[in-house]
Amino acid sequence: MSDRFRLTLAQLNPTVGDLKGNAGLALDAWRQGKEAGADMVALPEMFITGYNAQDLVMKPAFHTDAIAHIEALAKDCADGPTLAIGGPWIEGTELFNAYHICTGGKVVSRVLKHHLPNETVFDEVRIFDSGPLMGPYSVGNTRIGSPVCEDAWHEDVAETLAETGAEFLIVPNGSPYYRNKFETRLNHMVARVVETGLPLVYLNMVGGQDDQVFDGGSFVLNPGGRLAVQLPVFDACVAHVDFERGPEGWRALEGPFQKHPDAWEQDYRVMVEALRDYCRKTGFGKVLLGLSGGVDSALVAAIAVDALGSENVRCVMLPSEYTSQHSLEDAEACARALGCHYDYVPIAEGRAAITTTLEPLFKDLKPDLTEENIQSRLRGLLLMALSNKFGEMLLTTGNKSEVAVGYATIYGDMAGGYNPIKDLYKTRVFETCRWRNANHRAWMMGPEGEVIPDRIITKPPSAELREDQKDSDSLPDYPVLDGILEILVDRDGSIEDCVAAGYAREDAKKVEHLVYISEYKRFQSAPGARLTRGAFWLDRRYPIVNRWRDPG
């Protein structure tokens, strides 16, 4: 009996619904494993379908097709190492999230996911049936247990596998990013290792899907919880891990170990990868955005250039009489620094035509928010016209602070197909701009150096829809606003929690009211990159009609 086992880990980027393409990625990884003399090649959870496929998996024609692709893949991988791949499985009327073990041209074992997550972005209780607690499967000279993703966050599955003869654990995952999540994952997996005494392989996928980005960062733990292998975050890769069996069982040999960047870099990378994959997987090659001379649109422009290249980004300045000379200069300087196309489209003529058209109806009425919103919606109309004419997807540029309190015009500056900074509070927008100016990485397609002029970062924020307008005229200063929002939204806290943290009760109640009455806007807003567990979309589902307010 051999005392060595080689495992090939395929940390790859599937596309939801691309069964043929995902099978092709799996086959290529299997061939690399075969060439490297692997005993087994492992891919992540639900890899054949892509993840998170949501209700698509429940469609009978789709899950039947996915299962057929797995069975065909098993035949293609008959002569070589075992292939393990995630995908759906049907037994009777029940639909399972399964891990398919393929050897000798057939699927010889299936592990059915037991614990179905039903929180944050996950709704698997609605989609899948819960599988039973199962034992290990055999591969060559060893017995392997595979808790599927959520199963490894609970004690019972891993303990059952250890008690029924598993010699090490392979955990296939579809685990999306949120800030500082790696430590949470690592702590849970160390707990499983300590409880079972077995080595554990944590295999995660990479790539963007709608609002979620799967960040990879796969790793291998030896008994005692020591890291033996750590793969990079966000990068697709195929890595080979060797195990050696001694008197006390299997241990992984030291392998590749990639240090992970800090949270600021990971957040920025998520926004870049989210946009890059959203465009690639939906078929958009080019984007455009309104570049106002403000900090939000400047950061979105930088993200877009880093994701797609400057030749694929159009920036459009749409000035009115309220647009300052500084904004005109700053927008053009930012576009030039990024190297992207820059258009200048004044809105004066269009606004005059709309004002004339409405004059008989608005006669003797004082100007108010209506006239401000006309400007924003006119800009949205012009940007959408450019999007239609040139086939470029329009990006929206509202930060999380604005999205939270509705400080944006529906059908105006909210128009567009994707919002890279939707989950980034305004205070973090400023710091992220500074971070990008000071840092450049190989995965960025944009230029090095200061791509966002310093004056954009340091000047007081303004929508410039009326004379001498500043954001602070309508909202608490952003450090206060963001602090309150973090408590109310990200932590699901109360007014009393805000007061205990040092914020004025009046400010907290005002912000809470704005959050609730803006739900209808968020319901119609573009998707955007998820950075936190409190992102607006699947993480937070509130009614549009809601008259309750915290009495605190």
Side-chain angles (χ1 to χ4, degrees):
M1 179 183 291
S2 170
D3 288 322
R4 300 283 291 229
F5 189 93
R6 172 163 283 189
L7 174 65
T8 295
L9 300 179
Q11 178 178 287
L12 300 178
N13 182 355
T15 299
V16 165
D18 186 7
L19 303 177
K20 182 179 179 181
N22 297 339
L25 290 174
L27 182 59
D28 180 67
W30 178 83
R31 286 172 175 156
Q32 291 183 57
K34 181 180 180 180
E35 186 175 335
D39 297 285
M40 179 177 176
V41 177
L43 289 111
E45 176 186 21
M46 292 298 288
F47 188 85
I48 198 70
T49 61
Y51 198 65
N52 186 347
Q54 299 177 287
D55 286 8
L56 180 61
V57 180
M58 293 193 288
K59 191 174 183 66
F62 179 73
H63 60 238
T64 300
D65 196 9
I67 293 167
H69 273 79
I70 290 174
E71 291 170 345
L73 188 60
K75 292 179 182 177
D76 290 339
C77 299
D79 183 22
T82 291
L83 175 74
I85 184 170
W89 177 242
I90 287 283
E91 288 187 7
T93 60
E94 293 185 307
L95 174 65
F96 297 101
N97 179 334
Y99 203 47
H100 302 251
I101 314 304
C102 310
T103 303
K106 297 185 293 186
V107 180
V108 296
S109 299
R110 290 183 180 90
V111 179
L112 308 180
K113 190 172 183 177
H114 178 66
H115 291 287
L116 303 175
N118 199 44
E119 44 86 35
T120 63
V121 298
F122 300 108
D123 199 6
E124 289 202 354
V125 171
R126 182 171 174 272
I127 297 169
F128 296 110
D129 292 285
S130 174
L133 289 171
M134 303 177 72
Y137 52 88
S138 296
V139 177
N141 62 347
T142 191
R143 288 169 61 78
I144 299 170
S146 283
V148 179
C149 199
E150 183 77 10
D151 285 346
W153 290 54
H154 302 267
E155 298 176 10
D156 54 348
V157 176
E159 288 184 349
T160 298
L161 288 165
E163 289 167 0
T164 52
E167 297 176 76
F168 63 86
L169 303 175
I170 297 175
V171 183
N173 291 270
S175 181
Y177 175 89
Y178 59 74
R179 193 176 301 134
N180 300 319
K181 189 176 185 180
F182 181 81
E183 289 303 317
T184 303
R185 292 178 186 141
L186 185 61
N187 289 339
H188 278 282
M189 296 309 109
V190 168
R192 300 295 85 80
V193 169
V194 170
E195 291 157 4
T196 63
L198 301 178
L200 182 147
V201 178
Y202 183 97
L203 173 61
N204 195 21
M205 64 177 62
V206 294
Q209 170 59 32
D210 294 345
D211 66 323
Q212 297 157 50
V213 171
F214 299 89
D215 52 322
S218 303
F219 56 87
V220 179
L221 293 168
N222 269 321
R226 181 181 174 83
L227 280 164
V229 172
Q230 184 168 284
L231 300 187
V233 285
F234 305 110
D235 293 328
C237 62
V238 175
H240 312 292
V241 180
D242 290 318
F243 290 83
E244 194 172 71
R245 181 156 49 193
E248 297 181 355
W250 290 103
R251 293 187 70 86
L253 302 182
E254 298 287 327
F257 198 96
Q258 182 74 43
K259 184 179 178 182
H260 296 172
D262 65 20
W264 290 99
E265 179 170 341
Q266 291 199 44
D267 271 9
Y268 190 80
R269 180 81 185 265
V270 167
M271 292 184 285
V272 169
E273 295 295 335
L275 178 58
R276 181 180 288 162
D277 264 3
Y278 190 82
C279 288
R280 180 176 66 85
K281 293 178 179 181
T282 57
F284 279 100
K286 294 177 180 291
V287 298
L288 79 153
L289 65 139
L291 191 65
S292 68
V295 69
D296 299 316
S297 61
L299 179 58
V300 170
I303 291 167
V305 169
D306 283 336
L308 305 172
S310 58
E311 70 277 11
N312 295 314
V313 179
R314 179 190 302 267
C315 294
V316 187
M317 162 53 88
L318 302 115
S320 74
E321 68 268 32
Y322 302 120
T323 303
S324 68
Q325 186 61 34
H326 279 182
S327 292
L328 294 171
E329 295 168 358
D330 293 344
E332 185 171 2
C334 183
R336 291 189 184 282
L338 288 166
C340 48
H341 185 92
Y342 179 72
D343 286 321
Y344 182 82
V345 184
I347 67 169
E349 283 191 46
R351 185 167 173 236
I354 293 170
T355 301
T356 300
T357 301
L358 292 172
E359 187 173 9
L361 299 174
F362 287 3
K363 186 179 180 181
D364 299 327
L365 298 176
K366 291 182 178 180
D368 55 18
L369 190 61
T370 305
E371 283 70 23
E372 295 183 27
N373 285 342
I374 284 172
Q375 297 171 62
S376 180
R377 291 189 176 119
L378 177 55
R379 289 181 171 119
L381 183 152
L382 294 170
L383 289 167
M384 283 305 303
L386 293 171
S387 174
N388 293 158
K389 184 62 68 177
F390 298 114
E392 300 165 352
M393 184 179 71
L394 176 59
L395 301 179
T396 71
T397 61
N399 61 70
K400 188 174 185 176
S401 310
E402 296 172 353
V403 172
V405 297
Y407 195 63
T409 305
I410 196 164
Y411 321 125
D413 53 319
M414 288 179 66
Y418 203 78
N419 182 356
I421 64 169
K422 185 177 182 179
D423 199 28
L424 195 68
Y425 284 124
K426 185 79 168 192
T427 47
R428 292 189 75 93
V429 168
F430 292 119
E431 291 307 313
T432 302
C433 289
R434 294 186 177 98
W435 182 89
R436 175 56 180 88
N437 280 344
N439 295 276
H440 192 270
R441 301 289 185 263
W443 44 265
M444 298 176 181
M445 299 181 72
E448 297 183 33
E450 185 181 272
V451 293
I452 301 172
D454 185 66
R455 192 167 66 180
I456 289 179
I457 303 171
T458 57
K459 67 185 177 184
S462 171
E464 294 192 329
L465 297 173
R466 63 176 185 267
E467 288 289 351
D468 299 321
Q469 184 181 22
K470 294 182 177 60
D471 290 2
S472 56
D473 298 337
S474 306
L475 301 170
D477 288 337
Y478 280 114
V480 173
L481 176 62
D482 290 356
I484 293 171
L485 287 172
E486 187 175 342
I487 292 170
L488 296 179
V489 175
D490 294 59
R491 301 184 211 165
D492 210 16
S494 67
I495 297 296
E496 289 299 334
D497 292 330
C498 296
V499 173
Y503 299 106
R505 189 180 303 273
E506 181 183 356
D507 285 341
K509 291 186 80 68
K510 177 182 178 179
V511 170
E512 181 209 37
H513 179 68
L514 291 172
V515 169
Y516 282 142
I517 66 171
S518 302
E519 197 64 45
Y520 81 101
K521 290 187 179 182
R522 288 189 291 274
F523 193 81
Q524 300 180 62
S525 65
R530 175 183 187 252
L531 303 173
T532 68
R533 287 172 58 91
F536 291 119
W537 195 32
L538 297 178
D539 280 303
R540 188 180 181 280
R541 310 177 206 186
Y542 273 69
I544 294 173
V545 177
N546 167 28
R547 296 185 70 172
W548 181 85
R549 298 294 182 268
D550 188 338

